[in-house]
Amino acid sequence: MAPENVTAVTEFILMGVSDSPELQLPLFFVFLVYGLTMVGNLGIITLTSVDSHLQTPMYFFLRQLAVINLGNSTVIAPKMMTNFLVKKKTTFYYECATQMGGFLFFIVAEVFMLAVMAYDRYVAICNPLLYMVVVSRQICLLLVSITYAYGFSTAIVVTSCVFSMSYCSSNVFNHFYCDTVPLLVLSCSDTYFPEIVVFSSAATNLVLSITVVVVSYSNIVLSILRIRSSEGRKKAFSTCASHIMAVTVFYGTLLFVYLQPKTDHSLDSDKIASVFCTLVIPMLNPMIYSLRNKDVIAAFKRFLSNPCYSFKPL
């Protein structure tokens, strides 16, 4: 049945990051950091695409993570920043569904891309002689394709469940973008099945991806401890330090949301966590991977000194 036959709501009103009128303009300028997110991720995409020294599986996966981070923040930030400047923060029904679908696609893809990157580091450190065989170009493309396909299917299923419900009373919800939990609260129909789908999907994604990350890094730690020289251990650890930082920040934020006691859980804390997932982390990741990575820094210097010579399109 079409949504217009089951709901009288044609648009939703978002309360935003804050409903205080005097904070809207200052918050707009604060969230102009979205520009840094665009510059940083586009820089990573460019460097890892055309620099001949960065054509390895690790940088291929890093490029995909940058694409995901850029997409995730772009789905949220432009509409959010527009709402800082207008009095009525409305979003149309299908616009809301599209935004939710886009957010779910990119956030699920990021969850599993970080797991894929952990597996890549595991193979590089624990089986270095077989690295280019185990993580071949075909395998890289397969892993990325599965990640995107799974993210897309999750977005379709969860968004369809949420928007199959009736919305026939209030259309105002306490968030700055169309998220699942605030919309479930708004519905005037039975939300039992959609809630099961939403939370089962979130729990499954977190458990599967965290399991891959934990198993991969457990083996990495054991492998590093078997290295006799301190220099060798330091070099091995440095190859995965940036990824460890990115994983810690990202999963720490998600676990903060989903492991809160129900009595302490609030939509305000969800908003804070959402700001980190959609805006702060996509801005931090390029910094984490570039400032701690000598190869990326060297590629950037080559670009500044002689872009035409140093960069060779593939």
Side-chain angles (χ1 to χ4, degrees):
M1 187 178 292
E4 60 265 25
N5 294 330
V6 297
T7 178
V9 171
T10 59
E11 63 180 22
F12 296 100
I13 299 174
L14 293 76
M15 291 178 64
V17 177
S18 171
D19 57 357
S20 177
E22 62 270 15
L23 290 179
Q24 300 307 302
L25 192 58
L27 284 171
F28 173 81
F29 287 108
V30 168
F31 285 105
L32 281 176
V33 294
Y34 169 63
L36 296 178
T37 301
M38 290 191 66
V39 171
N41 285 290
L42 286 173
I44 292 290
I45 293 167
T46 302
L47 289 174
T48 57
S49 295
V50 300
D51 190 283
S52 58
H53 296 80
L54 301 182
Q55 304 309 309
T56 64
M58 181 177 75
Y59 293 109
F60 173 74
F61 293 133
L62 178 57
R63 178 163 68 249
Q64 304 308 315
L65 181 64
V67 170
I68 291 168
N69 284 161
L70 184 62
N72 194 12
S73 57
T74 301
V75 165
I76 305 299
K79 181 66 176 179
M80 180 189 72
M81 295 182 72
T82 300
N83 284 341
F84 284 135
L85 303 177
V86 298
K87 289 185 178 180
K88 192 176 182 183
K89 301 171 174 51
T90 60
T91 180
F92 293 110
Y93 185 90
Y94 290 107
E95 181 186 9
C96 188
T98 302
Q99 186 183 55
M100 178 186 290
F103 167 73
L104 289 172
F105 168 70
F106 286 115
I107 202 71
V108 172
E110 183 169 3
V111 164
F112 285 97
M113 189 57 65
L114 289 171
V116 167
M117 293 174 75
Y119 171 73
D120 169 71
R121 292 299 82 207
Y122 156 73
V123 177
I125 293 173
C126 299
N127 296 288
L129 297 178
L130 297 175
Y131 180 62
M132 296 309 297
V133 176
V134 176
V135 193
S136 64
R137 182 173 179 80
Q138 290 75 18
I139 295 298
C140 289
L141 291 172
L142 178 63
L143 290 173
V144 169
S145 298
I146 291 173
T147 297
Y148 286 140
Y150 182 75
F152 181 76
S153 61
T154 300
I156 293 295
V157 170
V158 173
T159 303
S160 298
C161 280
V162 172
F163 281 87
S164 67
M165 299 184 298
S166 298
Y167 297 94
C168 48
S169 53
S170 174
N171 66 338
V172 180
F173 62 92
N174 184 21
H175 218 310
F176 60 92
Y177 70 94
C178 293
D179 199 6
T180 52
V181 174
L183 281 168
L184 288 173
V185 172
L186 272 189
S187 177
C188 58
S189 57
D190 184 12
T191 62
Y192 177 76
F193 179 72
E195 284 179 351
I196 293 294
V197 172
V198 168
F199 292 109
S200 296
S201 174
T204 301
N205 295 339
L206 276 175
V207 170
L208 286 177
S209 59
I210 289 177
T211 299
V212 172
V213 171
V214 170
V215 170
S216 296
Y217 276 106
S218 297
N219 283 282
I220 287 172
V221 170
L222 292 175
S223 181
I224 290 176
L225 291 176
R226 286 194 292 266
I227 299 175
R228 295 184 178 181
S229 68
S230 59
E231 186 65 27
R233 287 195 295 269
K234 183 179 179 181
K235 184 177 179 181
F237 179 76
S238 67
T239 64
C240 55
S242 296
H243 184 254
I244 291 174
M245 290 177 63
V247 164
T248 301
V249 173
F250 182 75
Y251 284 113
T253 302
L254 291 183
L255 291 174
F256 169 78
V257 174
Y258 290 105
L259 295 185
Q260 287 185 85
K262 195 167 184 180
T263 54
D264 297 334
H265 191 86
S266 71
L267 291 177
D268 287 333
S269 64
D270 281 355
K271 285 198 289 186
I272 295 171
S274 296
V275 168
F276 270 86
C277 284
T278 60
L279 296 169
V280 177
I281 292 175
M283 179 187 67
L284 289 178
N285 278 344
M287 297 180 185
I288 292 172
Y289 282 102
S290 60
L291 295 178
R292 294 187 57 87
N293 191 302
K294 294 180 181 179
D295 293 336
V296 174
I297 293 173
F300 183 64
K301 289 180 179 178
R302 285 192 295 272
F303 172 71
L304 292 179
S305 61
N306 194 341
C308 294
Y309 176 78
S310 301
F311 285 71
K312 300 175 182 179
L314 300 178

